[in-house]
Amino acid sequence: MSDNVISIDEGRGSQTFVGSLRPQVIMGAAAAALPAVFAHVSDTPPLGASGVPLSVQQLYPEQTDDSRQLKALNLLERARITLLDALNFDPSGNFLQFDQEIMRARAILLRAFMYRDIGEGYAAVVNAVIWALANRKPGLPSRRQINVISASMERLISGPYIHFDTSMQILDDLEEADLDIEPPSLDILIEGYDG
Amino acid sequence: MLDYSDCKIETVTIELRYDQSLLVWDKVGEIWAEVQTQFPELVLQTGTPTQQAFESFDISATIEMAAFRASCRGVNAEEKVAQVTQKMLQVCADRLKLAVFTRVGLREIRSRKFANMDEANSAVSSLVSPAFAGSLVGDSRLSTFTCALKQESKTNGLSASIRTEERETKVTIPWAFRERITADLSKECLVVVDCDYYTIGTTLRETLNMEEWAKQASRTIKRYWKSVLQ
């Protein structure tokens, strides 16, 4: 069976045609169904001179309440503030209040983890902080550790779609602050495997 | 009277621009192989060192040295184009090592058909004062109407135009087939509503999700046109 080859020249009236000018080659007689190629957006202005990257708020100025991104970032911010609130309490004197704030922050982060489809980097950092708080020893995390966690949250809030490799650097920072970011069962499994 | 809800989507295009990436020459095969895992219907149309274009019936996608873009048409064009560009973003950002984008834009073109150009012109001339669109010399009458504007803030911009156009598609059929195939495509009288929403300034990869961004870009465009075309 031979194929009929038809060429078609696109005509778009007064609209500037900026797509490929080569003949469109199709099989059969479906000429009218050809895609309209005018995708080049060449009539827009050049890039502004600003070298400052757009913030999340500038990039998404009109997010609605149903936005998963907005929900996730709000939860991260709440968790961060709750952690910083814990610093108002001295764990040696007000251990219960201090620990309550830490547990509250962890509960918020567990909800933030529900939005892990945002990206692998996001999921890795939130998961690491959840385990860092779960594995804490009495009276911890320290002020320094809370500040490191807060900085990692800030990093995620300003760039939620970070690459997984980038998130490894944040995880390194958490580990350098003596935070145990792995689930304990993982250690047991590794020990068992080594043994 | 022209109502925005009567205007049907022709195409929605999303484009991301970046500083020239020579890695395209090394990675383009990998990029397309991965994009095709999610959109297997895409077929190569042109493949040159500086531009690779793939198409399916309702998707057109192109990667160049300093930009990639996708266009979709038909039902759910807005969602589809966001999905395609999100996939392209993930793959291109990884393979081409793109951390920063110099411009992100969404262009939406809608149109509404009219029986003739007079009807099309009269539908849009109500947007301006009667004197502006009225007869200027002798018994002249409005033959086409074009109105365009551009607005920019420090972070975002929007350029919009509304125009009437008489569209004609010309088909060239090889002599051997002219007996069997007639190329009788009628002219169309249209009002075309065209809007481009874009970022001004650099955008970091780690802040960018095309589905989230496209949703709100579309929302901005809709809000604008609904306030204009009531």
Side-chain angles (χ1 to χ4, degrees):
Chain A
M1 188 184 82
S2 64
D3 294 314
N4 297 340
V5 179
I6 301 169
S7 68
I8 178 171
D9 294 322
E10 199 80 24
R12 298 195 64 80
S14 61
Q15 186 172 354
T16 310
F17 175 69
V18 288
S20 167
L21 290 173
R22 70 191 165 74
Q24 304 275 337
V25 180
I26 60 163
M27 313 303 280
L34 275 171
V37 184
F38 56 108
H40 296 274
V41 189
S42 58
D43 55 350
T44 49
L47 175 73
S50 167
V52 181
L54 300 182
S55 67
V56 172
Q57 288 74 22
Q58 289 171 325
L59 198 55
Y60 309 93
E62 296 184 34
Q63 284 191 315
T64 52
D65 292 341
D66 64 340
S67 162
R68 291 177 64 77
Q69 175 188 295
L70 184 67
K71 286 176 183 171
L73 296 188
N74 282 343
L75 286 168
L76 290 181
E77 181 61 17
R78 275 179 56 197
R80 194 182 72 84
I81 290 170
T82 308
L83 274 174
L84 293 176
D85 284 347
L87 292 175
N88 295 329
F89 303 104
D90 179 5
S92 57
N94 299 307
F95 176 76
L96 285 178
Q97 286 95 328
F98 174 81
D99 205 53
Q100 198 171 30
E101 292 299 318
I102 300 296
M103 283 195 293
R104 188 175 293 150
R106 184 169 176 267
I108 296 169
L109 285 170
L110 287 172
R111 287 174 60 199
F113 190 67
M114 286 165 54
Y115 300 101
R116 58 190 176 277
D117 58 343
I118 281 178
E120 291 178 348
Y122 172 95
V125 173
V126 174
N127 182 57
V129 176
I130 287 170
W131 280 110
L133 297 181
N135 296 333
R136 71 190 184 282
K137 292 182 174 59
L140 293 176
S142 64
R143 177 176 291 272
R144 174 176 160 255
Q145 287 174 325
I146 286 178
N147 284 333
V148 171
I149 293 173
S150 173
S152 70
M153 297 281 97
E154 275 178 6
R155 179 78 176 79
L156 213 49
I157 290 165
S158 63
Y161 302 102
I162 56 170
H163 194 275
F164 182 72
D165 293 345
T166 312
S167 75
M168 291 297 110
Q169 295 162 13
I170 300 173
L171 267 51
D172 286 346
D173 292 343
L174 292 170
E175 285 190 310
E176 279 173 23
D178 295 327
L179 288 161
D180 185 1
I181 60 171
E182 303 284 358
S185 53
L186 194 63
D187 292 336
I188 296 165
L189 279 172
I190 292 169
E191 280 171 19
Y193 183 77
D194 288 342
Chain B
M1 198 68 180
L2 190 64
D3 195 305
Y4 180 70
S5 56
D6 295 332
C7 299
K8 289 184 179 167
I9 284 183
E10 286 198 352
T11 56
V12 184
T13 302
I14 295 178
E15 182 190 61
L16 286 89
R17 294 182 192 166
Y18 39 87
D19 290 337
Q20 200 170 58
S21 171
L22 297 178
L23 271 174
V24 164
W25 291 338
D26 302 315
K27 300 288 184 181
V28 74
E30 283 179 29
I31 289 170
W32 280 112
E34 196 166 335
V35 171
Q36 281 177 313
T37 59
Q38 190 170 331
F39 301 98
E41 66 271 32
L42 288 171
V43 176
L44 180 69
Q45 295 296 309
T46 53
T48 66
T50 52
Q51 187 191 66
Q52 303 82 40
F54 281 66
E55 287 177 6
S56 69
F57 178 75
D58 54 1
I59 304 172
S60 166
T62 306
I63 294 178
E64 295 170 357
M65 290 180 75
F68 65 79
R69 73 183 68 82
S71 292
C72 288
R73 63 179 180 185
V75 184
N76 297 328
E78 289 162 307
E79 290 84 3
K80 188 110 182 176
V81 76
Q83 288 168 4
V84 175
T85 44
Q86 175 62 19
K87 181 68 181 177
M88 290 172 83
L89 168 67
Q90 288 169 343
V91 179
C92 289
D94 283 357
R95 298 290 198 282
L96 305 182
K97 303 189 189 307
L98 304 175
V100 173
F101 293 90
T102 52
R103 185 185 185 279
V104 183
L106 183 145
R107 185 178 183 185
E108 185 184 283
I109 299 176
R110 291 174 179 255
S111 67
R112 185 184 158 188
K113 284 184 188 174
F114 285 86
N116 52 56
M117 285 302 285
D118 285 342
E119 280 187 25
N121 284 321
S122 110
V124 289
S125 59
S126 60
L127 295 171
V128 295
S129 72
F132 184 78
S135 180
L136 298 176
V137 281
D139 58 348
S140 67
R141 64 187 181 84
L142 194 61
S143 57
T144 57
F145 181 99
T146 304
C147 185
L149 62 82
K150 188 182 290 181
Q151 297 179 358
E152 287 186 349
S153 71
K154 284 181 180 174
T155 56
N156 295 293
L158 184 140
S159 64
S161 74
I162 185 164
R163 62 182 177 270
T164 58
E165 72 177 46
E166 192 169 32
R167 190 178 293 173
E168 184 179 10
T169 303
K170 292 177 180 170
V171 180
T172 308
I173 298 171
W175 178 85
F177 301 105
R178 279 182 203 157
E179 192 180 23
R180 281 184 284 160
I181 303 168
T182 55
D184 189 17
L185 298 176
S186 59
K187 287 183 181 176
E188 292 177 309
C189 299
L190 302 166
V191 169
V192 179
V193 171
D194 185 345
C195 199
D196 189 3
Y197 176 82
Y198 50 90
T199 59
I200 296 171
T202 53
T203 304
L204 297 179
R205 159 70 186 98
E206 64 190 37
T207 59
L208 202 50
N209 177 284
M210 293 321 300
E211 291 174 76
E212 287 279 351
W213 186 82
K215 250 188 242 173
Q216 75 146 29
S218 292
R219 201 179 303 129
T220 304
I221 290 172
K222 278 190 183 73
R223 195 186 62 232
Y224 172 74
W225 282 122
K226 280 182 178 173
S227 67
V228 175
L229 307 174
Q230 290 175 334

Short mmCIF file of all heavy atoms in Angstrom, two decimals, chain A residues 12-14, chain B residues 117 144 164-168 187-190:
data_model
loop_
_atom_site.label_atom_id
_atom_site.label_comp_id
_atom_site.label_asym_id
_atom_site.label_seq_id
_atom_site.Cartn_x
_atom_site.Cartn_y
_atom_site.Cartn_z
N ARG A 12 -2.19 31.89 8.53
CA ARG A 12 -2.84 32.33 9.75
C ARG A 12 -3.27 33.79 9.66
O ARG A 12 -3.16 34.54 10.61
CB ARG A 12 -1.93 32.11 10.96
CG ARG A 12 -1.59 30.66 11.18
CD ARG A 12 -1.01 30.44 12.53
NE ARG A 12 -1.97 30.75 13.58
CZ ARG A 12 -2.94 29.94 13.95
NH1 ARG A 12 -3.10 28.78 13.37
NH2 ARG A 12 -3.77 30.29 14.90
N GLY A 13 -3.75 34.19 8.49
CA GLY A 13 -4.28 35.54 8.35
C GLY A 13 -3.27 36.58 8.76
O GLY A 13 -2.09 36.50 8.40
N SER A 14 -3.70 37.50 9.57
CA SER A 14 -2.81 38.58 9.97
C SER A 14 -1.89 38.19 11.11
O SER A 14 -1.03 38.94 11.51
CB SER A 14 -3.63 39.80 10.39
OG SER A 14 -4.44 39.45 11.49
N MET B 117 -16.58 39.16 8.96
CA MET B 117 -15.67 40.09 9.62
C MET B 117 -16.42 41.26 10.26
O MET B 117 -15.98 41.80 11.27
CB MET B 117 -14.64 40.61 8.62
CG MET B 117 -13.56 39.59 8.27
SD MET B 117 -12.65 39.01 9.72
CE MET B 117 -11.62 40.41 10.08
N THR B 144 -10.43 45.62 10.12
CA THR B 144 -9.80 44.78 11.15
C THR B 144 -9.64 45.62 12.41
O THR B 144 -9.61 46.85 12.35
CB THR B 144 -8.39 44.28 10.74
OG1 THR B 144 -7.58 45.40 10.45
CG2 THR B 144 -8.45 43.32 9.58
N THR B 164 -9.13 41.01 15.40
CA THR B 164 -9.96 40.23 14.48
C THR B 164 -9.06 39.78 13.36
O THR B 164 -8.12 40.49 12.97
CB THR B 164 -11.11 41.08 13.93
OG1 THR B 164 -10.58 42.22 13.27
CG2 THR B 164 -12.06 41.51 15.03
N GLU B 165 -9.35 38.62 12.84
CA GLU B 165 -8.55 38.16 11.71
C GLU B 165 -9.35 37.22 10.83
O GLU B 165 -10.20 36.47 11.30
CB GLU B 165 -7.25 37.51 12.16
CG GLU B 165 -7.36 36.16 12.80
CD GLU B 165 -5.98 35.59 13.13
OE1 GLU B 165 -5.16 36.34 13.69
OE2 GLU B 165 -5.73 34.42 12.84
N GLU B 166 -9.05 37.32 9.57
CA GLU B 166 -9.65 36.41 8.60
C GLU B 166 -8.58 35.36 8.30
O GLU B 166 -7.52 35.68 7.77
CB GLU B 166 -10.03 37.18 7.33
CG GLU B 166 -10.89 36.38 6.40
CD GLU B 166 -11.47 37.26 5.29
OE1 GLU B 166 -10.77 38.22 4.89
OE2 GLU B 166 -12.59 37.00 4.85
N ARG B 167 -8.87 34.15 8.67
CA ARG B 167 -7.85 33.10 8.59
C ARG B 167 -8.13 32.17 7.41
O ARG B 167 -9.25 31.72 7.24
CB ARG B 167 -7.82 32.32 9.88
CG ARG B 167 -6.66 31.39 10.00
CD ARG B 167 -6.68 30.69 11.33
NE ARG B 167 -6.43 31.61 12.44
CZ ARG B 167 -6.53 31.26 13.72
NH1 ARG B 167 -6.88 30.04 14.03
NH2 ARG B 167 -6.29 32.13 14.68
N GLU B 168 -7.09 31.92 6.69
CA GLU B 168 -7.25 31.06 5.52
C GLU B 168 -6.13 30.02 5.54
O GLU B 168 -4.96 30.37 5.71
CB GLU B 168 -7.18 31.90 4.24
CG GLU B 168 -7.43 31.11 2.99
CD GLU B 168 -7.37 32.00 1.75
OE1 GLU B 168 -6.95 33.17 1.89
OE2 GLU B 168 -7.72 31.52 0.68
N LYS B 187 -12.70 30.09 4.59
CA LYS B 187 -12.08 31.12 5.43
C LYS B 187 -12.83 31.20 6.76
O LYS B 187 -14.02 30.93 6.83
CB LYS B 187 -12.19 32.48 4.73
CG LYS B 187 -11.25 32.62 3.56
CD LYS B 187 -11.36 34.01 2.96
CE LYS B 187 -10.43 34.15 1.77
NZ LYS B 187 -10.59 35.45 1.10
N GLU B 188 -12.07 31.59 7.79
CA GLU B 188 -12.69 31.74 9.10
C GLU B 188 -12.55 33.19 9.55
O GLU B 188 -11.48 33.79 9.39
CB GLU B 188 -11.98 30.85 10.12
CG GLU B 188 -12.19 29.37 9.91
CD GLU B 188 -11.40 28.55 10.93
OE1 GLU B 188 -10.18 28.80 11.07
OE2 GLU B 188 -11.99 27.69 11.58
N CYS B 189 -13.62 33.73 10.09
CA CYS B 189 -13.57 35.09 10.64
C CYS B 189 -13.54 34.95 12.16
O CYS B 189 -14.46 34.41 12.76
CB CYS B 189 -14.80 35.88 10.21
SG CYS B 189 -14.86 36.06 8.43
N LEU B 190 -12.46 35.44 12.74
CA LEU B 190 -12.23 35.16 14.16
C LEU B 190 -11.92 36.42 14.96
O LEU B 190 -11.38 37.40 14.43
CB LEU B 190 -11.02 34.23 14.32
CG LEU B 190 -11.06 32.88 13.63
CD1 LEU B 190 -9.67 32.27 13.63
CD2 LEU B 190 -12.02 31.95 14.34
#
